[in-house]
Amino acid sequence: MNARRKARSAEDLDILIGFLGFWALVLLVTTVWMELTAQPALGWALGLLASVLALWGLIRLRKRLPARTGRRLR
């Protein structure tokens, strides 16, 4: 895999990490709210678990790619 393709892949992963991180935060708030209001929260908690595990995997994969630079390689 050449440097340009690795840089592009790293940028794509950064976008996915941000997107998934946002939804993990939404699921966390929803799960806590459901627990505090004594409503069933198992489905929300399982969704949160799945998103956190996916986020963890993406972050581990991202660490193997080159660090971001100030600008894109052309």
Side-chain angles (χ1 to χ4, degrees):
M1 191 180 262
N2 61 22
R4 180 181 296 167
R5 195 160 173 178
K6 278 189 177 183
R8 176 71 182 167
S9 177
E11 289 176 4
D12 291 343
L13 275 180
D14 289 340
I15 292 169
L16 283 173
I17 288 169
F19 181 77
L20 197 57
F22 169 77
W23 287 109
L25 181 64
V26 169
L27 284 171
L28 174 67
V29 170
T30 304
T31 303
V32 169
W33 177 256
M34 298 295 273
E35 286 289 341
L36 290 176
T37 58
Q39 297 178 25
L42 179 62
W44 296 105
L46 290 175
L48 176 61
L49 175 66
S51 63
V52 167
L53 288 175
L55 188 60
W56 176 73
L58 285 175
I59 290 171
R60 284 184 50 119
L61 181 60
R62 175 62 180 96
K63 287 182 180 179
R64 294 181 189 182
L65 296 174
R68 288 191 70 169
T69 59
R71 57 188 165 151
R72 230 183 200 176
L73 296 174
R74 292 181 194 230

